[in-house]
Amino acid sequence: MSGTAVGTDTVVAEWPDAVATELRSKPATAGAARKHLPRPADHTMPVTPGAPWTDDPYAHALRTGRGPLFLRRLSHPGRPDGFGEEQALPLDVERWCAPADAADTTVLRRCTGSVLDVGCGPGRLVAALAARGVPALGVDVSRAAVSRTRRSGGAAVQRSVFDRLPGEGRWGTVLLMDGNIGIDGDPVALLRRLRELAAPGGLLLAEAAPQDVDERLTVRVEDAHGHHGQPFSWARLGTTALLYAARSAGWIQTGRWTAEGRPFVELRRPHAEHPDAQARITERRPPS
């Protein structure tokens, strides 16, 4: 771990003004974040009005630290089977709510400078970094996620990653774990946004799906009793697809590894003087 790498001092210096209000006991409202979330589709089981990832059953699972919880694929008019055989993807709530594990540690050891955890969930990585004395901030649209992160000793704000965030362009490391490449259903747009947040030469440490997939989906969060939240756009990318999307967004691959069956990639934002830093890169898909 490095406490002196790119992005540390300037980001932390912003926190008293930019984050202090949101680090008090009551999280900020999610009104601004909801502007950037997909418009909910029609659903068959009414739930409390709100945005995806902010209401039951996801919030309930984070408060209790237990599942089961699933990401349910919804049928497409042209694919009534629900996009294939696997209809519901289990969400690993218990692991998310537990302390950082051995696979997580392989990621944390690569972090340099101040760290922004995008879609931090219940905050195990932010808390682990804080315990090591590393400046770290989580961002999540879920009030329950932000509250749990703060209770675990981490700092977090309730916002969308597409909202204005502290330290834009100065984070030494950005984390994108636990399937969060799927945020908003447009991986290239998300990766371009993360490139704006990272410092020149900064890192993006991202987790890919363990399967060789490249999917754009409409999904909803669902518990074992069929209670669910509102539908929203999502994506699933294996390592190959994630690297293609990253190249399209202007990232340079600097590493890849697998730990405990979870695949990870290390990407770097080019320095301003890098000849490819401002180049327009055409998105390319893996060969079929």
Side-chain angles (χ1 to χ4, degrees), residues 38-43 51-53 57 70-76 82-83 86-91 179 182-185 215-222 227-236:
R39 183 181 299 276
D42 293 336
H43 50 83
W53 298 110
F70 304 93
L71 205 59
R72 172 71 65 181
R73 299 165 180 252
L74 302 182
S75 296
H76 184 279
F83 296 96
E86 193 176 27
Q87 299 282 320
L89 307 172
L91 298 178
I183 289 173
D184 216 34
E215 302 176 312
R216 309 298 181 270
L217 309 169
T218 298
V219 296
R220 69 188 183 201
V221 178
E222 185 174 296
H227 302 108
H228 61 78
Q230 300 181 18
F232 57 96
S233 297
W234 197 248
R236 295 181 70 219

Side-chain angles (χ1 to χ4, degrees), residues 181 207-215 236-245 256 263 265 286:
I181 186 63
E207 182 173 355
Q211 303 85 12
D212 186 18
V213 294
D214 186 2
E215 302 176 312
R236 295 181 70 219
L237 275 66
T239 300
T240 301
L242 195 158
L243 291 174
Y244 272 93
R256 57 187 290 182
V265 299

